[in-house]
Amino acid sequence: MRMEIDPRASLEAAVAGDEAALHLGEPCVRVSRLKERTLSLGVSQPATVPPALRAARAGLPVSRRLSGGVALLHEEGDVLWSIVLPRDSPLVGRDFVRAYPRLGEGVARALGSRGVRAEWLPAPLSFPTYCLFSGKGFVLSGSRGALGGASQHLTSKTLLHHGTLSTSLSPETLEALFDMPLSFVEQNLSCIAREGGGSSDGLLEDIAKSLSEAIGERERSPLGR
């Protein structure tokens, strides 16, 4: 499986890379580190939603994802990861919209090797304007809250499954953009720093390798599960 690692990327560039990989159609794992704080919007979300307007007024970049969901704040240094698989891969299956735990297994594994216990759980519907709490898809949950999430884009031949992993938090920015109470952030959001994951050195490589290995193992199993 082809692997691409970019230690310093804009969200716009990462999305463009995902789109290129999606159209190429070959199995691929891509991992990058975000070089600047950015607000992302789901593919069908209008640019006039309040978080986007507030971000623009504050001078924060606003980018659009290929996949669905609502607005999400990405901090500088956050990890962006993606996998592209042929639609007929046994790992994709007919239940791909509920297959976040198996498709994102490599991310949880990589964190586990750093002492961070994380698992993919259905996204709670507790703050609808913020993607991780919109009640859609799954979130990667640590011991102190949501560490990240993922979303999908399907073509007739290929599935893109991509996500984000938080390395730090900015409660004040979340409050300013989303009217998200600081108490809600404290109780529901986490990041690698809060989970005691140690240095981020080698993290991109660890995630890329774990994703590739997990995908390979499942595709070699009889049912791809």
Side-chain angles (χ1 to χ4, degrees), residues 24-214:
L24 186 61
E26 297 176 354
C28 177
V29 168
R30 306 183 66 254
V31 184
S32 56
R33 188 183 300 281
L34 195 61
K35 69 177 184 179
E36 60 186 349
R37 178 184 288 168
T38 305
L39 184 83
S40 72
L41 301 176
V43 65
S44 61
Q45 194 173 23
T48 54
V49 294
L53 295 177
R54 293 167 184 162
R57 286 197 296 267
L60 294 181
V62 178
S63 291
R64 192 170 296 282
R65 305 186 300 270
L66 293 172
S67 51
V70 294
L72 183 64
L73 177 66
H74 308 263
E75 292 292 335
E76 179 183 353
D78 281 359
V79 176
L80 307 173
W81 58 271
S82 60
I83 60 175
V84 169
L85 293 169
R87 178 65 182 85
D88 60 1
S89 166
L91 185 62
V92 175
R94 295 182 178 180
D95 64 338
F96 65 91
V97 296
R98 298 183 298 277
Y100 286 61
R102 71 168 181 262
L103 291 168
E105 180 182 358
V107 181
R109 279 193 195 182
L111 291 176
S113 70
R114 292 168 171 260
V116 177
R117 185 174 180 178
E119 61 178 327
W120 289 97
L121 299 173
L125 179 55
S126 52
F127 206 90
T129 61
Y130 196 67
C131 200
L132 300 184
F133 305 117
S134 65
K136 298 179 181 179
F138 284 64
V139 297
L140 185 62
S141 182
S143 63
R144 301 185 64 180
L147 285 161
S151 52
Q152 301 176 333
H153 178 65
L154 183 71
T155 71
S156 60
K157 297 182 179 180
T158 316
L159 174 70
L160 167 69
H161 185 87
H162 63 179
T164 183
L165 176 63
S166 298
T167 59
S168 64
L169 286 176
S170 178
E172 293 78 11
T173 305
L174 288 165
E175 182 182 41
L177 296 182
F178 293 91
D179 289 327
M180 186 180 289
L182 297 179
S183 59
F184 183 90
V185 177
E186 176 63 29
Q187 295 170 13
N188 295 279
L189 277 172
S190 191
C191 61
I192 292 178
R194 291 189 71 188
E195 298 285 334
S199 169
S200 62
D201 291 347
L203 180 60
L204 304 187
E205 291 78 8
D206 289 349
I207 290 175
K209 182 179 178 182
S210 291
L211 279 168
S212 181
E213 289 178 348

